[in-house]
Amino acid sequence: MNQNLFNYTLQQADNCLILGQRLGEWCGHGPVLEQDIAMTNIALDLIGQARMLYQYAAEIQDEKRSEDDLAYLRDAWDFKNVLLVEQPNGDFAKTILRQFLFDSFNCPFYEKLKESSDERLAAIAAKSHKETLYHLKWSGDWVLRLGDGTEESHNRIQNALNELWPYSEEITTPSEADIDANKNGFGVNLNDIKSERETKIREVLNEATLTIPDSAYNHTGGKEGKHTEYLGYILADLQFLQRAYPGNEW
Amino acid sequence: MNNWPLWEIFVRSKAGLNHKHVGSLHASDAEMAIQNARDVYTRRNEGVSIWVVESKHITASDPDDSDPLYEPAKDKVYRHPTFYDLPDEVKHM
Amino acid sequence: MDEKHLEDHFNEKIDQDVRIEPKDWMPDHYRKTLIRQISQHAHSEIVGMLPEANWISRAPTLRRKAAALAKVQDEAGHGLYLYSACETLGVDRDTLLDQLHTGKAKYSSIFNYPTLTWADMGAIGWLVDGAAIMNQVPLCRASYGPYARAMIRVCKEESFHQRQGFEIMLTLCKGSDEQQKMAQDALNRWWWPALMMFGPTDADSPHTEQSMRWGIKRFTNDELRQKFVDVSKPQADLLGIKIPDPDLKWNEARGHYDFGEINWDEFYNVIKGNGPCNKQRIDARTKAWEEGAWVREAASAYAEKKTKQQAA
């Protein structure tokens, strides 16, 4: 099996699953019915992306494993998602900002991944890229509305930014899998999207009258399986049935 | 309470067809109304194009006027092709 | 035109099955009854999101998770269609939500029961959505145009809900002993509340006659309940689980299943607010609405700023 291709695919699959899981927590509790529906749509897109990637990763592993084995039967240290996506929903402002920081990566990432030498990854990227264009528009618009809305919304999203900013850069910081994937032609050169992403983020935050925190410190570790405490709880929830009733069909 | 205005949503289900009224929803601005309409009314591939218009901008005819508005058209049968008799030999006209 | 004349004209349209549209004249009582009925239905959809949303994070496979998300999202959509229909009658959504949050408005009492295991997702889809569809399909012909059109959308989307629920039940019933037990337990808990969804018996349902006369109700509660029992019994047999009613048996003479007495005390208790989850459900809805206030205000403020900037 191609371990690097497997790790690389899994890394993105885990990002999508964990953020999809987080967004799904909003379902039924959104600030207005129309946005409840919008958030669920994005959650569904992310779960869909995760499924395509897990299915591919399972095939690469070549051990009669399924998408669900990968999602439900690994423990935290095997998950390769970035720390950003496991951060709690908080208020709507925090959810929006987390989403925007992720979408500003996810969208250009898939755009580049369309050129992957690996046909499956390229195909998954082509489908997903269209979805993320909409996600980025949605979350970017909301950053503007909240940042430049009322004093309260401005303060809330500024707080969210202060809190999440140290988790922003991990996603464009290459892991071993990223470096190898790029070297072998099937992965994205993260340096290519890093500056594009930063420009986009600064542009939107600026228009939203938000102040980027001074702190240059960045948390990392997610891509190597070193997570925050949150992930354990996410997995306890996500995996409960598969763990409580091993081997059953659902 | 800050009420988001109500918008009427029109969806073109496929190229070549008219936009058709499908329902309404709330949004704070036109941009959001289109996004919401996409999420609410085209979840199952129902559309390829969306129009939104704030409900308050729609002027509707008064049902009380329906007689003067629509009755007079009823007896103008000469506007319909079946009004004209043609010999059977003339086909496809 | 005088009131009497207008009312005759209205009744004529009802008799001829001509739809009533928002700007048409309608009796005040008809308008009020419709607002009550449609908003109750809308409230049921959005409160109904909660018991199932509970299990989205714990769905046992990714396929089930996607289906659960899509299903609960549909319910939000249905609530939205129905609130919109209600708004055409001259009452805005904020007012309706306020009635829900303050306990002035009712919603289907089935959603005051808890979802305890994954099998409840199956039982709700199969029985609760099944009962809802039975109630709703006739309303696609309701006399009020916007209501009928909303119901057509709802019913079209609802059909996948019942199937996904039944599929969950089927998978459990073909599964391990524990899974079968889970399925039976869910049926035990949801069966009677599902029967209650059709409302009080015809004898205790004083508005039925007027509503049927107006074409906003097409069958009586007892007729629909019987129909539901008749289709559900063979489905339970197919699943290999037992409906928890010792009096349930085929009556050849009637051509229907006879079934046991519903516990009406429980029904009225839950309606009065004493169901297991009444408080949690309303609290959750109120919390979502109140905590969303600043979001809605921000979007309004932003839209206003932009309009001013464009005008300048």
Side-chain angles (χ1 to χ4, degrees):
Chain A
M1 133 173 148
N2 185 338
Q3 186 69 43
N4 287 321
L5 181 59
F6 176 75
N7 284 344
Y8 188 70
T9 306
L10 216 48
Q11 188 176 289
Q12 176 64 5
D14 289 345
N15 279 336
C16 295
L17 174 65
I18 301 300
L19 188 55
Q21 176 83 357
R22 277 296 195 210
L23 267 186
E25 292 171 19
W26 272 103
C27 191
H29 306 275
V32 62
L33 218 36
E34 282 83 350
Q35 295 306 326
D36 205 304
I37 294 172
M39 282 191 278
T40 309
N41 252 5
I42 297 172
L44 275 168
D45 284 344
L46 290 170
I47 300 289
Q49 292 170 16
R51 291 187 66 190
M52 289 188 288
L53 292 160
Y54 282 134
Q55 282 160 13
Y56 186 37
E59 282 171 40
I60 298 167
Q61 224 184 8
D62 198 23
E63 288 168 27
K64 289 190 176 159
R65 299 196 81 186
S66 71
E67 55 175 27
D68 291 325
D69 293 333
L70 291 171
Y72 288 87
L73 300 178
R74 287 177 303 141
D75 204 342
W77 59 71
D78 282 328
F79 272 77
K80 301 174 192 309
N81 59 278
V82 293
L83 305 179
L84 175 71
V85 295
E86 63 199 50
Q87 299 303 306
N89 287 344
D91 61 7
F92 187 72
K94 191 168 172 189
T95 294
I96 287 296
L97 198 85
R98 184 186 63 198
Q99 192 64 35
F100 174 65
L101 292 177
F102 182 73
D103 295 339
S104 63
F105 162 81
N106 212 25
C107 186
F109 172 76
Y110 281 130
E111 191 176 17
K112 286 279 187 293
L113 192 65
K114 285 198 280 189
E115 295 151 25
S116 169
S117 62
D118 185 284
E119 278 177 27
R120 272 289 279 285
L121 284 184
I124 292 170
K127 181 180 185 299
S128 307
H129 179 240
K130 289 181 201 148
E131 296 171 348
T132 56
L133 282 167
Y134 179 76
H135 301 173
L136 181 57
K137 169 96 181 100
W138 181 83
S139 60
D141 282 357
W142 269 109
V143 171
L144 296 179
R145 285 191 194 103
L146 299 183
D148 197 14
T150 61
E151 195 184 338
E152 178 173 11
S153 70
H154 176 88
N155 291 341
R156 281 176 183 265
I157 196 160
Q158 181 66 54
N159 285 342
L161 177 59
N162 299 346
E163 219 176 308
L164 292 175
W165 190 245
Y167 295 98
S168 173
E169 252 186 50
E170 181 188 9
I171 207 161
T172 48
T173 308
S175 65
E176 215 175 291
D178 288 318
I179 293 167
D180 179 84
N182 182 233
K183 212 164 54 194
N184 286 300
F186 61 81
V188 174
N189 183 347
L190 291 183
N191 286 324
D192 286 353
I193 52 177
K194 192 175 157 71
S195 62
E196 184 190 334
R197 173 172 181 257
E198 277 171 12
T199 310
K200 172 80 184 175
I201 289 176
R202 278 172 200 280
E203 200 182 278
V204 172
L205 293 182
N206 201 23
E207 196 188 330
T209 71
L210 295 168
T211 312
I212 293 178
D214 285 334
S215 152
Y217 186 77
N218 277 290
H219 294 287
T220 54
K223 291 180 179 184
E224 277 82 37
K226 295 189 198 74
H227 291 277
T228 63
E229 287 180 347
Y230 300 121
L231 187 64
Y233 291 100
I234 294 175
L235 297 183
D237 210 18
L238 177 92
Q239 300 178 338
F240 157 66
L241 281 166
Q242 292 272 1
R243 301 294 194 179
Y245 304 94
N248 284 356
E249 293 288 324
W250 298 94
Chain B
M1 180 60 235
N2 258 301
N3 266 336
W4 287 1
L6 191 67
W7 301 74
E8 299 300 325
I9 311 302
F10 301 81
V11 170
R12 186 202 295 286
S13 57
K14 59 178 185 190
L17 296 182
N18 290 325
H19 284 79
K20 198 175 147 198
H21 183 244
V22 292
S24 57
L25 50 74
H26 287 275
S28 62
D29 55 46
E31 186 72 23
M32 193 202 282
I34 287 190
Q35 288 182 11
N36 290 349
R38 176 257 193 198
D39 288 332
V40 172
Y41 289 107
T42 67
R43 294 199 302 287
R44 289 176 169 79
N45 291 315
E46 292 99 330
V48 295
S49 164
I50 295 171
W51 286 350
V52 300
V53 56
E54 231 187 293
S55 308
K56 69 175 183 200
H57 294 316
I58 290 190
T59 310
S61 62
D62 188 337
D64 288 346
D65 292 340
S66 61
D67 283 357
L69 286 175
Y70 313 115
E71 280 296 321
K74 281 191 180 157
D75 65 354
K76 311 284 193 296
V77 283
Y78 42 80
R79 286 192 172 119
H80 298 277
T82 45
F83 178 72
Y84 302 95
D85 286 328
L86 293 185
D88 289 349
E89 295 79 52
V90 182
K91 295 200 166 94
H92 309 301
M93 184 180 279
Chain C
M1 276 193 273
D2 59 32
E3 186 98 348
K4 171 81 181 74
H5 193 91
L6 288 165
E7 183 141 14
D8 286 348
H9 184 58
F10 171 84
N11 286 330
E12 221 169 86
K13 286 210 271 190
I14 295 280
D15 290 341
Q16 291 167 3
D17 236 357
V18 173
R19 295 283 175 273
I20 309 299
E21 293 296 341
K23 293 187 87 178
D24 294 346
W25 185 91
M26 60 187 87
D28 203 39
H29 191 31
Y30 175 82
R31 182 186 300 272
K32 281 190 181 134
T33 305
L34 268 176
I35 291 174
R36 197 187 58 222
Q37 182 173 332
I38 302 173
S39 66
Q40 269 182 24
H41 187 172
H43 297 328
S44 301
E45 295 282 353
I46 60 161
V47 175
M49 294 171 75
L50 299 169
E52 289 184 280
N54 257 338
W55 279 90
I56 289 173
S57 67
R58 289 175 288 176
T61 68
L62 295 181
R63 177 175 175 267
R64 294 280 182 222
K65 189 186 289 292
L69 270 166
K71 191 199 160 192
V72 182
Q73 181 192 43
D74 272 351
E75 281 155 13
H78 299 171
L80 195 150
Y81 307 153
L82 289 159
Y83 284 129
S84 297
C86 233
E87 293 202 53
T88 65
L89 291 160
V91 45
D92 66 19
R93 198 198 295 174
D94 285 18
T95 307
L96 297 171
L97 288 177
D98 191 59
Q99 290 169 355
L100 172 68
H101 300 153
T102 54
K104 270 183 232 139
K106 299 257 182 297
Y107 56 89
S108 183
S109 56
I110 191 103
F111 301 116
N112 291 318
Y113 290 87
T115 46
L116 303 178
T117 72
W118 171 250
D120 291 13
M121 295 295 279
I124 288 181
W126 170 39
L127 298 172
V128 178
D129 290 292
I133 291 169
M134 211 150 266
N135 259 322
Q136 290 165 8
V137 167
L139 294 175
C140 296
R141 294 187 295 119
S143 61
Y144 186 58
Y147 187 27
R149 290 192 288 275
M151 290 315 302
I152 288 171
R153 284 194 92 83
V154 169
C155 288
K156 222 189 260 173
E157 299 184 351
E158 196 85 31
S159 58
F160 110 75
H161 298 181
Q162 195 186 10
R163 291 174 73 115
Q164 69 97 32
F166 193 77
E167 195 197 78
I168 290 174
M169 292 303 276
L170 197 60
T171 311
L172 293 173
C173 290
K174 287 195 297 198
S176 65
D177 290 351
E178 282 161 318
Q179 286 176 309
Q180 287 168 24
K181 198 175 135 198
M182 210 184 269
Q184 180 64 57
D185 167 68
L187 174 58
N188 293 348
R189 283 181 291 111
W190 290 97
W191 174 253
W192 291 105
L195 292 193
M196 294 176 197
M197 281 177 74
F198 297 96
T201 59
D202 293 350
D204 289 323
S205 182
H207 302 302
T208 294
E209 200 189 327
Q210 177 62 274
S211 292
M212 288 184 73
R213 165 82 188 84
W214 277 338
I216 53 178
K217 188 164 179 164
R218 296 286 186 177
F219 296 98
T220 72
N221 296 353
D222 286 334
E223 282 168 353
L224 289 168
R225 190 166 12 242
Q226 180 68 60
K227 205 170 151 200
F228 177 74
V229 173
D230 289 348
V231 302
S232 299
K233 172 68 170 84
Q235 290 168 354
D237 291 345
L238 200 122
L239 291 170
I241 45 180
K242 204 174 166 314
I243 289 175
D245 179 359
D247 299 322
L248 184 73
K249 56 174 179 293
W250 180 252
N251 182 327
E252 192 62 47
R254 288 205 309 130
H256 291 290
Y257 282 96
D258 290 337
F259 54 97
E261 183 66 23
I262 288 170
N263 182 346
W264 293 110
D265 284 346
E266 176 181 328
F267 174 76
Y268 288 109
N269 253 319
V270 178
I271 285 186
K272 269 185 234 147
N274 299 323
C277 301
N278 293 56
K279 185 170 176 339
Q280 288 95 315
R281 301 292 185 241
I282 290 304
D283 284 355
R285 285 309 318 165
T286 309
K287 182 167 179 278
W289 184 246
E290 284 173 357
E291 289 182 358
W294 68 269
V295 178
R296 299 189 297 275
E297 279 159 23
S300 295
Y302 180 79
E304 207 176 307
K305 271 187 210 175
K306 289 291 132 181
T307 313
K308 272 189 195 143
Q309 277 170 17
Q310 272 166 6

